Amino acid sequence: MKKFFVHVFIGVFIVSCNNDSVKSGVFVENISELEASINNAKPGNVIFLKNGIWKNVQIKFKAEGVENNPITIKAETPGKVFIEGVSNVKFGGKYLIIDGLHFRNGYSPSDAVIEFKIDKKTIGNHCTVTNCVIEDFNKMSRDDADRWIQFWGRHNTLKNCYIKGKTNRGPTIRIDLKGNEHINNYHQIVNNHFGPRPPKGGASGETIQIGDSYSSMSPSYTMVANNLFEECNGEVEIISSKTNFNEFRNNVFYKSEGSLVTRHGNYCTIDGNYFIGDGKNENIGGIRIINTGHWVTNNYFYNLKGKSFRSPLAVMNGIPKSPLNRYNQVTDVVVAYNTYINCDAPWQFGVGQNLDQKNVLPPSEIRSSRPLRTLVANNLLYNEVGDKSPIVEHDQADGVTFKSNIINNKNVEFVSYKGLEPKVFGLNKVSDHVFGATGINDVEPYQGFEFEKISNDLFGNSRKNNNIIGAIVSIKDPNILDKTKYGPSWYSDEVEAKEPKTIKVSAKDSFQSKIDEANSGDIIILNQGKYLITKPLVINKRLTIKSSNKTKTVLYYAGEENSSLFQLHPKGFLALENVYLKGTTTQQAFASLKENMYTHFGLSVTNCEISDFDFALKVYKQSFAERITFKNTSISNCENGLELSEETNDKGDYNTEYLTINSCQFTNVKQNVIDYYRGGYDESTIGGNLILTNSSFINCGAKEQNGILINTRGIVNVDISNNTFKNNPVKLVALLWGAKNNYHVNNTISNSGKILVEEHLKLKLMY
């Protein structure tokens, strides 16, 4: 203890003399000193963590501050205290603050990285996490679920933080309401930057989840405001609101593949948000409405091309007498004063209607209850290229009333709706992505019940003297993509592009040594020759490996049985070009790790030859690649081809988001020629994408046990076009899912069975 106080005294003295950011408080250098300081903390105390790496620390922040004198754990210098290894933070008490920490290179030993609870009796209230970064802090396997921030208690806040890179199961942030001490919580999630969350390849990849289906009737009053959601692509729901009385205000959703969804619960306010697409990506959505009493006002939608579940405004059908965890009917919803610029089919009603699947689904899954008492008023639509279907009715929209909406559709005719009137008006550019309308002052807005409460526009301007329709009354630049407005002041996610280095390798060199020498993004050039490889080549960074002439550059793999020539690790992204790969029939050309695939990998193979392997590609369970591509490549004399079918837990998971095969030749591949699997009936997983084009399959599938050459069970998006199938001893070339986006065009099939389309596949229910 004496040594401890000496350290504290010296630390405080040094810091007070040399670091202007540290004015007072206790300075600690290790977890023991931190725990002692927490135990002795009084209101107003600040505990400074010494700069450096704090590894394998489990911080239980149990203390009692007061409203104007909180207790704070703070980085000596914000951004220079790194929490790594098996580490987490738990709050227990009142008026506590965590400030300026950077979580990286590790994972939580529990269900959360930061949790506002130590145990059932020790809960955090009025606690704050601010000015922190959490990046790539993933569990070691994809199915090992956790949350990075888990809210309990009441009046807790996450603000000015940067959070990115979650790839394992579980929402990035979850608010729990199990118990009276957690409802009416008034939590705040404000001024944060949610950086990229890559596709998870299955359900449970939300960025924010507020409650769950079993607490969905509870009041939460959570505020999510002034945040930037950038490329949050985890799943179809970016935000999943599952409780009552939540508010979503002034957030920016930028190129994020999904939607803000009122999944369960009622009476949400969704006001003043921006939804910005790229004009191409059909996965970028807007707002999806389920349940009762929501107000959707003053929102701005730009360049969105999402369909159905991901349309700019998707109003769903419900299930009669729905179980808590499914879909309640939409009733008493107001959609008013919103602006839609260059959005395809922006209003879609009856989304999810599935009466045609009644033969393969139980009644508890049939969404037949149409929206009732839904008012769509004073909205503005503009299309640079006219849209023949600005309103899509998946089921009758007879419970929807349209009032004083206008559309400039460039004179393109559309189905007429009373309350949506064509009008010629112009646009004024406010800034990149943001446009205001001109020439609409003569349109009389509809004055609905309590519409006087919509008192300000998207920018906060008063509507009192100029209550025109649409989201914008008067124009000013909102600077929505100024990243200094979000997240910690000390952190930037802007990375300076580096010129890739070129490394030349000859057959005499140690290939793995050259790979280890390279930095991520570098290019390895193979000289002509025959390379004898006896151990797997480990790829754990982004590399391009190529030669100038594939016929004269051969990688001959003589490694152990069931090992792989290229072993793809987490963060291993390999682009291979112009190389001939040859095995001894018992190994894999490419494979992920069997375990500890804690984040994504990627593979692109172009203009290569692959022969005499057990597997051309083997992707193991809980491994995920956003993209796997084979182009102008031949695969021959292999026992198995491309095998991505180990996610058999039927929870909606799959091994890659995009599998693209173009202009390839498959010859004498005996089974699993292409085996790509997604199991479970789950509309949150509207993914899995196979593009198979301009390729040939000859004498393949001789050992295929199910008699299907191309296996795509449960994959939602499948394009099999312009291929040749010849002398493949199978019953079917493919079994496609007609009700989904599966189709085949211009394929030549001889002595190979046929392509069968089954409208409704029976899948295992996940719920």
Side-chain angles (χ1 to χ4, degrees), residues 191-219:
N191 299 109
N192 302 288
H193 182 176
F194 296 100
R197 174 163 188 173
K200 177 188 165 290
S204 195
E206 305 94 333
T207 296
I208 298 176
Q209 178 185 327
I210 305 175
D212 60 26
S213 54
Y214 300 103
S215 61
S216 60
M217 295 297 104
S218 301

Side-chain angles (χ1 to χ4, degrees), residues 37-47 63-66 69-72:
S37 295
I38 291 171
N39 290 336
N40 293 310
K42 301 289 189 264
N45 285 176
V46 180
I47 303 169
E64 295 288 330
V66 296
N69 278 296
I71 298 169
T72 303

Side-chain angles (χ1 to χ4, degrees), residues 652-763:
D653 294 334
Y654 45 100
N655 290 123
T656 185
E657 194 68 33
Y658 295 96
L659 177 60
T660 302
I661 301 159
N662 181 37
S663 300
C664 293
Q665 300 81 44
F666 292 76
T667 307
N668 194 30
V669 179
K670 295 181 177 62
Q671 59 186 338
N672 299 312
V673 181
I674 297 173
D675 198 352
Y676 184 20
Y677 182 87
R678 182 195 71 89
Y681 175 75
D682 173 37
E683 57 282 299
S684 293
T685 310
I686 52 177
N689 298 268
L690 172 64
I691 301 173
L692 173 58
T693 53
N694 305 307
S695 297
S696 64
F697 298 80
I698 301 172
N699 297 324
C700 292
K703 292 185 179 180
E704 188 58 70
Q705 294 181 8
N706 68 4
I708 304 174
L709 189 70
I710 310 298
N711 285 279
T712 61
R713 179 74 177 180
I715 301 300
V716 174
N717 305 297
V718 177
D719 173 9
I720 300 178
S721 300
N722 302 307
N723 303 289
T724 299
F725 302 92
K726 183 178 180 181
N727 295 333
N728 301 291
V730 292
K731 294 179 181 178
L732 297 176
V733 167
L735 174 61
L736 300 184
W737 194 356
K740 300 298 182 181
N741 188 30
N742 284 203
Y743 59 92
H744 61 104
V745 179
N746 297 331
N747 297 289
T748 301
I749 303 174
S750 63
N751 196 27
S752 300
K754 62 181 180 179
I755 297 177
L756 178 65
V757 178
E758 187 171 314
E759 193 64 19
H760 299 295
L761 295 181
K762 191 174 181 64
L763 296 178

Side-chain angles (χ1 to χ4, degrees), residues 416-450:
S416 177
Y417 286 83
K418 185 179 180 181
L420 177 61
E421 305 299 329
K423 181 176 175 59
V424 176
F425 58 87
L427 292 182
N428 237 345
K429 184 173 182 178
V430 181
S431 62
D432 288 344
H433 314 298
V434 181
F435 296 81
T438 60
I440 58 173
N441 289 318
D442 58 338
V443 179
E444 187 69 24
Y446 173 73
Q447 297 300 322
F449 177 72
E450 292 192 329

